[in-house]
Amino acid sequence: MTTEPKPQHLGANGEEVPDAHYVRTGEHSFRTTVYTQGAWSPLEQHMAASSGLLVHEVERNHPREDVVPVRLSFDILGFIPGGDIEVHTRVLRPGRTIELLEATMSAAGRDCIRLNMWRLKTSDTQDVAGGEIRPLPPVDQCPPVDMTETWAGGFIATLEAHMAREPRPGSAAGWLRIKHRIVAGEASSHTARFVSAIDAANGIAPRVEPGQWAFPNVDLSIHLIREPVSEWVGLDTNVEISPVGVGLTHSELFDENGPIGRVAQALTVRRMGD
């Protein structure tokens, strides 16, 4: 009796790989590449790469130039496998000024991520624009850092990172940017590429040793006040862990023009091997 082979990222067996996270194989289907490989298992996708693809597909299937995505709520429904996947989108709440869209990633007939995205029509509020969050130092003033010293996986290995202040357990600030296209041969917006790096917030300020503890997030909740002007993601991140196996990673979010929103991730915390 032969066992069914496990799903594999393109490139995991030495195949030629394009400089992209995904290769489109159909109108709604894709093959993952090793550049999506997650940090907790070589067979999974990193949630950051997956979230960027879902945004890319929402924008591709439901294009509008007069709206801004203001909340992107991702629920991780289980293991996010590498290999062959599908992404389907739909409008849940149509509207001229307010709309709600959904994107779902599935593999082998099982949903693994669901995105709900609110988009609002833009208007001129320049006269009252402002806020209280101080910007991060510019990227070119922040030293580069190699995140592979802490984390494994093909996604992290291709991520550009700069630290904005000296990290300590549970607190760090820095800049992240993906190097590759989201989908081979397809252009993506700054927003989709920006989102493609945000989930790595949970990895820039670990409060506990990753080799001894697992603390994957079960969701990713992003609030934006405008669209990003570039692909660099600024994060001022703090991590809280309770005594009952639950944690929270929360970050102020920046682009190169300054504060742009906030992000939160709910964590399930457990000792490795438990």
Side-chain angles (χ1 to χ4, degrees):
M1 180 178 177
T2 60
T3 59
E4 193 73 18
K6 293 182 178 180
Q8 289 287 325
H9 302 288
L10 181 65
N13 296 315
E15 310 99 316
E16 185 175 346
V17 186
D19 291 336
H21 293 162
Y22 300 90
V23 174
R24 188 180 295 276
T25 57
E27 181 64 19
H28 305 291
S29 59
F30 303 85
R31 176 86 182 274
T32 68
T33 75
V34 289
Y35 302 129
T36 71
Q37 188 182 57
W40 299 107
S41 166
L43 298 179
E44 72 176 345
Q45 300 174 58
H46 198 290
M47 177 59 189
S50 306
S51 56
L53 177 62
L54 293 178
V55 174
H56 176 85
E57 285 298 278
V58 166
E59 295 180 337
R60 173 179 175 268
N61 296 330
H62 312 281
R64 282 186 65 177
E65 295 183 356
D66 62 338
V67 292
V68 174
V70 296
R71 194 203 68 181
L72 301 91
S73 180
F74 298 86
D75 289 309
I76 303 172
L77 306 177
F79 188 80
I80 311 171
D84 295 317
I85 59 168
E86 292 188 359
V87 175
H88 293 272
T89 67
R90 60 176 178 151
V91 178
L92 296 179
R93 192 273 195 194
R96 186 176 63 86
T97 59
I98 300 172
E99 64 178 2
L100 177 63
L101 304 103
E102 179 187 77
T104 303
M105 179 182 289
S106 60
R110 180 186 66 82
D111 293 347
C112 49
I113 308 173
R114 184 170 296 123
L115 161 66
N116 282 344
M117 179 195 292
W118 284 102
R119 296 198 301 198
L120 305 183
K121 185 176 174 62
T122 58
S123 62
D124 184 1
T125 52
Q126 186 63 41
D127 289 345
V128 293
E132 299 300 321
I133 302 172
R134 296 174 62 87
L136 290 180
V139 179
D140 60 8
Q141 295 181 16
C142 301
V145 62
D146 183 0
M147 291 186 64
T148 63
E149 294 178 356
T150 303
W151 296 102
F155 176 80
I156 294 297
T158 63
L159 196 66
E160 294 183 70
H162 292 252
M163 297 310 296
R165 70 165 184 265
E166 188 69 27
R168 64 180 189 273
S171 184
W175 294 95
L176 304 174
R177 181 172 69 172
I178 64 170
K179 293 181 181 180
H180 300 312
R181 287 180 180 263
I182 295 176
V183 180
E186 300 182 17
S188 298
S189 70
H190 282 322
T191 300
R193 293 182 61 82
F194 189 85
V195 170
S196 292
I198 291 177
D199 187 73
N202 191 37
I204 69 169
R207 179 165 288 280
V208 291
E209 175 60 46
Q212 300 177 16
W213 292 87
F215 44 95
N217 50 305
V218 299
D219 77 336
L220 175 68
S221 182
I222 304 167
H223 283 82
L224 300 174
I225 58 172
R226 56 178 172 81
E227 290 193 285
V229 299
S230 71
E231 302 165 3
W232 281 105
V233 177
L235 295 160
D236 190 342
T237 298
N238 289 283
V239 180
E240 325 295 332
I241 296 178
S242 77
V244 295
V246 175
L248 173 67
T249 297
H250 53 101
S251 311
E252 304 287 359
L253 196 57
F254 305 82
D255 70 357
E256 291 184 278
N257 271 6
I260 191 174
R262 288 186 170 90
V263 58
Q265 299 157 286
L267 314 179
T268 172
V269 184
R270 55 188 180 274
R271 193 181 295 277
M272 296 292 281
D274 289 354

